Amino acid sequence: MIVKIKLFGDPGLNTICCCINSCLKGYQEEVGIKVIIGNEILKYREDIIREICELIKIRSVTGAPGKGKPFGEGVNQALEYVLGLGERLGLKAKNVDGYAGHIEYGEGDEIAGVLVHLDVVPEGIGWTFPPFEGVIHEGKIYGRGASDDKGPAIVAVYGLKVLKDLGIIPKRKVRIILGTNEESGMQDMKYYFTKEPVPGMGFSPDAGYPITNREKGILHLALVKLGHGVNEYGHKDESGRKDECRHKDMCGLPIQEIFGGEAVNMVPAECRAHIPAEKIKPGEVLYLQELAREIDGENIAVLFEEGKGLIILSKGKSAHGASPQSGINAIYKLLSFLYNAENGSMGNNSGIGGIVNNNAKNGSVRNRVYLDSYLKFLYEKKIGSDTTGHSLGIDLKDEESGALTINLGKIIYNQAEKRAMLDIRYPVTCNHEEILKAVKEQAEKEGIHVEIIGHSPPLYVPATHPLIIKLSTAYEKITGEKANLLSMGGGTYARTLKNNGVAFGGAGTGAHQPDEHVSIEDLMRHGKICTQAIYEIAT
């Protein structure tokens, strides 16, 4: 049952009606009548679709900082756009030095928050539809951010608008907090909460339903080796001097550069290695091309361009760093190919083995790629292939949140620097220091330094917390289903609320993958639940 008092143009009558609504709400809940307002968002369906498509058109990938734009021009445009939307809807809006902002409704000392983010991961490759156009096809909105997290962000703003439309006087001030750096370390929230109070309760619509009250810890590490070049004959030279090898023709081909991955929290879809042109003989190109065709002709390509050299390109399948088992790691695929190339591995029926052997006898072909100890460490420890951490001795799990996962998200390898970046999601009952110690023990044996480039402790909110009760109420009112409690490997802004926030809701498919999209039907179902949840935490 819904009791509504219609508002009029006179401000005095509006105030009286709002007071009556507030009293009626208290009476209804006291006598057990459910107040349901979630369905009211359906009247904004077309507006929500339009605004999501417009927001997707802004390529809000983290970029070079500027004055008042700490995370780049695109991210700042997205923030200004949504703050402007809030103002156009008659809500209060505030930009907090370009780091974040909020859209607000209500008064009072207490604050309830809905935390969303407007930054997105890079688009990657393999899209059917343009990633930054907001294409609508067969009832779905396609584009980077459609589900993570621009779609839910726009829905949350309109959910707040519903409260204002109905003249509901909330017990708490409600803020839709707009973040700009969720995908790259959450430095935005660290800054924002030095300027604004932390909400006493809140949720982030950046996961799924029902309620995720446990989020694994997130540890980002870099495996680094500096100042150890590879000379022109493919031998390590700790001093930087060239090694005058007596067997120049038979030494391995030197890898000048490897680059792969776009973000540490994405399974890389592409990786490439470069060998200088002056180091290559014609037979070596033929050997590597035949090897690529035999191993995986569809996803490994060996290309030679006069004057530039040899490019070895591997393709994988992108996925979210929280579920690396769902993707195919292009960096590891390349390492595996190079390892085979170093060892002269070919099938017995390919015919190329004879070519290699004959050329080797004539001293005309080195026929092997040289892998230094750094690349061999990554390959032999299956970093990028083993998503459980078993090969590093960190395959941990617990009943509360499940098993640890590890993703090799990026690699930068050249004469000056070797850096591989790992995304480790660890169970809520585990200690990140123990994980760090285990990785260091393995890496330091090969002279590899381990750096912490980011750490976010686990989140755990008990079932008895008032927030869980309120969100359960919202979910059950709209769906008629019980709100079960879930665990996930992803990390949301909920963990910035000091165990007074959870991930709740969201809609869409393919976060961090090509053809990310959201079904409009699912989006509006989420809109009803989210609006009801805003009402519950507000009152």
Side-chain angles (χ1 to χ4, degrees), residues 388-412:
T388 69
H390 175 75
S391 58
L392 287 171
I394 57 172
D395 48 334
L396 307 170
K397 60 183 177 181
D398 63 18
E399 291 184 6
E400 290 80 2
S401 56
L404 176 146
T405 62
I406 179 171
N407 174 54
L408 171 57
K410 292 185 71 174
I411 188 170
I412 300 170

PDB file of all heavy atoms in Angstrom, residues 388-412:
ATOM      1  N   THR A 388      45.362 -19.042  -9.107  1.00  0.00           N
ATOM      2  CA  THR A 388      45.110 -19.388  -7.701  1.00  0.00           C
ATOM      3  C   THR A 388      46.239 -18.969  -6.768  1.00  0.00           C
ATOM      4  O   THR A 388      46.058 -18.947  -5.553  1.00  0.00           O
ATOM      5  CB  THR A 388      44.914 -20.906  -7.545  1.00  0.00           C
ATOM      6  OG1 THR A 388      46.171 -21.569  -7.799  1.00  0.00           O
ATOM      7  CG2 THR A 388      43.864 -21.423  -8.510  1.00  0.00           C
ATOM      8  N   GLY A 389      47.419 -18.673  -7.324  1.00  0.00           N
ATOM      9  CA  GLY A 389      48.570 -18.345  -6.492  1.00  0.00           C
ATOM     10  C   GLY A 389      49.340 -19.551  -5.999  1.00  0.00           C
ATOM     11  O   GLY A 389      50.293 -19.415  -5.227  1.00  0.00           O
ATOM     12  N   HIS A 390      48.959 -20.750  -6.448  1.00  0.00           N
ATOM     13  CA  HIS A 390      49.608 -21.970  -5.971  1.00  0.00           C
ATOM     14  C   HIS A 390      51.103 -21.976  -6.280  1.00  0.00           C
ATOM     15  O   HIS A 390      51.919 -22.367  -5.433  1.00  0.00           O
ATOM     16  CB  HIS A 390      48.951 -23.200  -6.601  1.00  0.00           C
ATOM     17  CG  HIS A 390      49.620 -24.494  -6.256  1.00  0.00           C
ATOM     18  ND1 HIS A 390      49.485 -25.094  -5.010  1.00  0.00           N
ATOM     19  CD2 HIS A 390      50.449 -25.307  -6.974  1.00  0.00           C
ATOM     20  CE1 HIS A 390      50.202 -26.213  -4.988  1.00  0.00           C
ATOM     21  NE2 HIS A 390      50.786 -26.359  -6.169  1.00  0.00           N
ATOM     22  N   SER A 391      51.469 -21.533  -7.461  1.00  0.00           N
ATOM     23  CA  SER A 391      52.874 -21.575  -7.872  1.00  0.00           C
ATOM     24  C   SER A 391      53.755 -20.628  -7.061  1.00  0.00           C
ATOM     25  O   SER A 391      54.974 -20.785  -7.021  1.00  0.00           O
ATOM     26  CB  SER A 391      52.999 -21.241  -9.354  1.00  0.00           C
ATOM     27  OG  SER A 391      52.451 -19.968  -9.629  1.00  0.00           O
ATOM     28  N   LEU A 392      53.132 -19.660  -6.396  1.00  0.00           N
ATOM     29  CA  LEU A 392      53.872 -18.744  -5.523  1.00  0.00           C
ATOM     30  C   LEU A 392      53.688 -19.079  -4.045  1.00  0.00           C
ATOM     31  O   LEU A 392      54.186 -18.365  -3.168  1.00  0.00           O
ATOM     32  CB  LEU A 392      53.432 -17.295  -5.774  1.00  0.00           C
ATOM     33  CG  LEU A 392      53.902 -16.661  -7.087  1.00  0.00           C
ATOM     34  CD1 LEU A 392      53.215 -15.320  -7.301  1.00  0.00           C
ATOM     35  CD2 LEU A 392      55.413 -16.492  -7.104  1.00  0.00           C
ATOM     36  N   GLY A 393      52.949 -20.140  -3.769  1.00  0.00           N
ATOM     37  CA  GLY A 393      52.725 -20.541  -2.381  1.00  0.00           C
ATOM     38  C   GLY A 393      51.744 -19.672  -1.635  1.00  0.00           C
ATOM     39  O   GLY A 393      51.801 -19.572  -0.401  1.00  0.00           O
ATOM     40  N   ILE A 394      50.799 -19.051  -2.344  1.00  0.00           N
ATOM     41  CA  ILE A 394      49.826 -18.169  -1.684  1.00  0.00           C
ATOM     42  C   ILE A 394      48.382 -18.573  -2.010  1.00  0.00           C
ATOM     43  O   ILE A 394      47.473 -17.740  -1.985  1.00  0.00           O
ATOM     44  CB  ILE A 394      50.054 -16.695  -2.068  1.00  0.00           C
ATOM     45  CG1 ILE A 394      49.986 -16.509  -3.594  1.00  0.00           C
ATOM     46  CG2 ILE A 394      51.389 -16.186  -1.529  1.00  0.00           C
ATOM     47  CD1 ILE A 394      50.020 -15.054  -4.042  1.00  0.00           C
ATOM     48  N   ASP A 395      48.158 -19.838  -2.299  1.00  0.00           N
ATOM     49  CA  ASP A 395      46.800 -20.299  -2.634  1.00  0.00           C
ATOM     50  C   ASP A 395      45.988 -20.470  -1.354  1.00  0.00           C
ATOM     51  O   ASP A 395      45.821 -21.563  -0.833  1.00  0.00           O
ATOM     52  CB  ASP A 395      46.839 -21.588  -3.443  1.00  0.00           C
ATOM     53  CG  ASP A 395      47.763 -22.639  -2.856  1.00  0.00           C
ATOM     54  OD1 ASP A 395      48.722 -22.271  -2.153  1.00  0.00           O
ATOM     55  OD2 ASP A 395      47.526 -23.836  -3.093  1.00  0.00           O
ATOM     56  N   LEU A 396      45.447 -19.348  -0.881  1.00  0.00           N
ATOM     57  CA  LEU A 396      44.709 -19.286   0.380  1.00  0.00           C
ATOM     58  C   LEU A 396      43.209 -19.252   0.109  1.00  0.00           C
ATOM     59  O   LEU A 396      42.755 -18.831  -0.950  1.00  0.00           O
ATOM     60  CB  LEU A 396      45.117 -18.034   1.159  1.00  0.00           C
ATOM     61  CG  LEU A 396      46.627 -17.848   1.403  1.00  0.00           C
ATOM     62  CD1 LEU A 396      46.902 -16.465   1.970  1.00  0.00           C
ATOM     63  CD2 LEU A 396      47.148 -18.925   2.339  1.00  0.00           C
ATOM     64  N   LYS A 397      42.416 -19.662   1.108  1.00  0.00           N
ATOM     65  CA  LYS A 397      40.961 -19.559   1.006  1.00  0.00           C
ATOM     66  C   LYS A 397      40.344 -19.624   2.386  1.00  0.00           C
ATOM     67  O   LYS A 397      40.976 -20.080   3.353  1.00  0.00           O
ATOM     68  CB  LYS A 397      40.400 -20.657   0.106  1.00  0.00           C
ATOM     69  CG  LYS A 397      40.673 -22.074   0.556  1.00  0.00           C
ATOM     70  CD  LYS A 397      40.116 -23.071  -0.467  1.00  0.00           C
ATOM     71  CE  LYS A 397      40.443 -24.501  -0.078  1.00  0.00           C
ATOM     72  NZ  LYS A 397      39.924 -25.478  -1.069  1.00  0.00           N
ATOM     73  N   ASP A 398      39.116 -19.167   2.499  1.00  0.00           N
ATOM     74  CA  ASP A 398      38.366 -19.304   3.748  1.00  0.00           C
ATOM     75  C   ASP A 398      36.892 -19.521   3.426  1.00  0.00           C
ATOM     76  O   ASP A 398      36.455 -19.366   2.280  1.00  0.00           O
ATOM     77  CB  ASP A 398      38.576 -18.096   4.674  1.00  0.00           C
ATOM     78  CG  ASP A 398      38.075 -16.780   4.084  1.00  0.00           C
ATOM     79  OD1 ASP A 398      37.265 -16.807   3.130  1.00  0.00           O
ATOM     80  OD2 ASP A 398      38.479 -15.720   4.570  1.00  0.00           O
ATOM     81  N   GLU A 399      36.127 -19.900   4.438  1.00  0.00           N
ATOM     82  CA  GLU A 399      34.701 -20.171   4.249  1.00  0.00           C
ATOM     83  C   GLU A 399      33.917 -18.896   3.985  1.00  0.00           C
ATOM     84  O   GLU A 399      32.892 -18.902   3.307  1.00  0.00           O
ATOM     85  CB  GLU A 399      34.129 -20.891   5.476  1.00  0.00           C
ATOM     86  CG  GLU A 399      34.649 -22.313   5.651  1.00  0.00           C
ATOM     87  CD  GLU A 399      33.976 -23.016   6.813  1.00  0.00           C
ATOM     88  OE1 GLU A 399      33.035 -22.429   7.400  1.00  0.00           O
ATOM     89  OE2 GLU A 399      34.375 -24.149   7.134  1.00  0.00           O
ATOM     90  N   GLU A 400      34.399 -17.779   4.541  1.00  0.00           N
ATOM     91  CA  GLU A 400      33.658 -16.530   4.456  1.00  0.00           C
ATOM     92  C   GLU A 400      33.669 -15.928   3.048  1.00  0.00           C
ATOM     93  O   GLU A 400      32.660 -15.363   2.590  1.00  0.00           O
ATOM     94  CB  GLU A 400      34.232 -15.495   5.437  1.00  0.00           C
ATOM     95  CG  GLU A 400      33.964 -15.801   6.900  1.00  0.00           C
ATOM     96  CD  GLU A 400      34.924 -16.837   7.483  1.00  0.00           C
ATOM     97  OE1 GLU A 400      35.840 -17.300   6.760  1.00  0.00           O
ATOM     98  OE2 GLU A 400      34.755 -17.194   8.653  1.00  0.00           O
ATOM     99  N   SER A 401      34.801 -16.039   2.353  1.00  0.00           N
ATOM    100  CA  SER A 401      34.907 -15.323   1.083  1.00  0.00           C
ATOM    101  C   SER A 401      35.517 -16.122  -0.065  1.00  0.00           C
ATOM    102  O   SER A 401      35.641 -15.611  -1.168  1.00  0.00           O
ATOM    103  CB  SER A 401      35.706 -14.028   1.278  1.00  0.00           C
ATOM    104  OG  SER A 401      36.987 -14.296   1.834  1.00  0.00           O
ATOM    105  N   GLY A 402      35.926 -17.366   0.185  1.00  0.00           N
ATOM    106  CA  GLY A 402      36.424 -18.188  -0.906  1.00  0.00           C
ATOM    107  C   GLY A 402      37.928 -18.112  -1.099  1.00  0.00           C
ATOM    108  O   GLY A 402      38.679 -17.799  -0.181  1.00  0.00           O
ATOM    109  N   ALA A 403      38.359 -18.352  -2.336  1.00  0.00           N
ATOM    110  CA  ALA A 403      39.781 -18.521  -2.634  1.00  0.00           C
ATOM    111  C   ALA A 403      40.434 -17.239  -3.138  1.00  0.00           C
ATOM    112  O   ALA A 403      39.792 -16.373  -3.747  1.00  0.00           O
ATOM    113  CB  ALA A 403      39.957 -19.621  -3.687  1.00  0.00           C
ATOM    114  N   LEU A 404      41.729 -17.144  -2.887  1.00  0.00           N
ATOM    115  CA  LEU A 404      42.553 -16.059  -3.411  1.00  0.00           C
ATOM    116  C   LEU A 404      42.631 -16.158  -4.934  1.00  0.00           C
ATOM    117  O   LEU A 404      42.623 -17.257  -5.501  1.00  0.00           O
ATOM    118  CB  LEU A 404      43.946 -16.144  -2.803  1.00  0.00           C
ATOM    119  CG  LEU A 404      45.031 -15.166  -3.265  1.00  0.00           C
ATOM    120  CD1 LEU A 404      45.961 -14.818  -2.100  1.00  0.00           C
ATOM    121  CD2 LEU A 404      45.847 -15.710  -4.437  1.00  0.00           C
ATOM    122  N   THR A 405      42.725 -15.015  -5.603  1.00  0.00           N
ATOM    123  CA  THR A 405      42.973 -14.979  -7.043  1.00  0.00           C
ATOM    124  C   THR A 405      44.141 -14.048  -7.327  1.00  0.00           C
ATOM    125  O   THR A 405      44.409 -13.120  -6.559  1.00  0.00           O
ATOM    126  CB  THR A 405      41.749 -14.497  -7.849  1.00  0.00           C
ATOM    127  OG1 THR A 405      41.429 -13.148  -7.459  1.00  0.00           O
ATOM    128  CG2 THR A 405      40.550 -15.393  -7.632  1.00  0.00           C
ATOM    129  N   ILE A 406      44.839 -14.313  -8.433  1.00  0.00           N
ATOM    130  CA  ILE A 406      45.957 -13.450  -8.831  1.00  0.00           C
ATOM    131  C   ILE A 406      45.908 -13.230 -10.330  1.00  0.00           C
ATOM    132  O   ILE A 406      45.631 -14.153 -11.098  1.00  0.00           O
ATOM    133  CB  ILE A 406      47.313 -14.063  -8.387  1.00  0.00           C
ATOM    134  CG1 ILE A 406      48.485 -13.164  -8.816  1.00  0.00           C
ATOM    135  CG2 ILE A 406      47.486 -15.472  -8.913  1.00  0.00           C
ATOM    136  CD1 ILE A 406      49.815 -13.587  -8.230  1.00  0.00           C
ATOM    137  N   ASN A 407      46.160 -11.985 -10.735  1.00  0.00           N
ATOM    138  CA  ASN A 407      46.141 -11.620 -12.151  1.00  0.00           C
ATOM    139  C   ASN A 407      47.405 -10.843 -12.498  1.00  0.00           C
ATOM    140  O   ASN A 407      47.801  -9.935 -11.766  1.00  0.00           O
ATOM    141  CB  ASN A 407      44.922 -10.741 -12.462  1.00  0.00           C
ATOM    142  CG  ASN A 407      44.934 -10.222 -13.894  1.00  0.00           C
ATOM    143  OD1 ASN A 407      45.041 -10.989 -14.838  1.00  0.00           O
ATOM    144  ND2 ASN A 407      44.823  -8.911 -14.049  1.00  0.00           N
ATOM    145  N   LEU A 408      48.063 -11.218 -13.588  1.00  0.00           N
ATOM    146  CA  LEU A 408      49.160 -10.436 -14.147  1.00  0.00           C
ATOM    147  C   LEU A 408      48.542  -9.440 -15.118  1.00  0.00           C
ATOM    148  O   LEU A 408      48.145  -9.799 -16.226  1.00  0.00           O
ATOM    149  CB  LEU A 408      50.159 -11.355 -14.857  1.00  0.00           C
ATOM    150  CG  LEU A 408      51.266 -10.691 -15.694  1.00  0.00           C
ATOM    151  CD1 LEU A 408      52.089  -9.725 -14.848  1.00  0.00           C
ATOM    152  CD2 LEU A 408      52.156 -11.750 -16.327  1.00  0.00           C
ATOM    153  N   GLY A 409      48.418  -8.176 -14.679  1.00  0.00           N
ATOM    154  CA  GLY A 409      47.650  -7.200 -15.442  1.00  0.00           C
ATOM    155  C   GLY A 409      48.441  -6.390 -16.444  1.00  0.00           C
ATOM    156  O   GLY A 409      47.927  -6.017 -17.492  1.00  0.00           O
ATOM    157  N   LYS A 410      49.723  -6.088 -16.126  1.00  0.00           N
ATOM    158  CA  LYS A 410      50.531  -5.260 -17.020  1.00  0.00           C
ATOM    159  C   LYS A 410      51.987  -5.705 -16.969  1.00  0.00           C
ATOM    160  O   LYS A 410      52.453  -6.203 -15.938  1.00  0.00           O
ATOM    161  CB  LYS A 410      50.458  -3.778 -16.617  1.00  0.00           C
ATOM    162  CG  LYS A 410      49.128  -3.108 -16.808  1.00  0.00           C
ATOM    163  CD  LYS A 410      49.196  -1.615 -16.489  1.00  0.00           C
ATOM    164  CE  LYS A 410      49.978  -0.854 -17.546  1.00  0.00           C
ATOM    165  NZ  LYS A 410      49.927   0.614 -17.326  1.00  0.00           N
ATOM    166  N   ILE A 411      52.694  -5.483 -18.056  1.00  0.00           N
ATOM    167  CA  ILE A 411      54.135  -5.691 -18.068  1.00  0.00           C
ATOM    168  C   ILE A 411      54.796  -4.590 -18.891  1.00  0.00           C
ATOM    169  O   ILE A 411      54.299  -4.191 -19.943  1.00  0.00           O
ATOM    170  CB  ILE A 411      54.520  -7.082 -18.608  1.00  0.00           C
ATOM    171  CG1 ILE A 411      56.029  -7.325 -18.415  1.00  0.00           C
ATOM    172  CG2 ILE A 411      54.130  -7.237 -20.066  1.00  0.00           C
ATOM    173  CD1 ILE A 411      56.456  -8.749 -18.689  1.00  0.00           C
ATOM    174  N   ILE A 412      55.904  -4.073 -18.349  1.00  0.00           N
ATOM    175  CA  ILE A 412      56.768  -3.129 -19.064  1.00  0.00           C
ATOM    176  C   ILE A 412      58.182  -3.689 -18.953  1.00  0.00           C
ATOM    177  O   ILE A 412      58.717  -3.834 -17.852  1.00  0.00           O
ATOM    178  CB  ILE A 412      56.706  -1.716 -18.447  1.00  0.00           C
ATOM    179  CG1 ILE A 412      55.285  -1.178 -18.487  1.00  0.00           C
ATOM    180  CG2 ILE A 412      57.669  -0.771 -19.160  1.00  0.00           C
ATOM    181  CD1 ILE A 412      55.092   0.100 -17.691  1.00  0.00           C
TER     182      ILE A 412
END
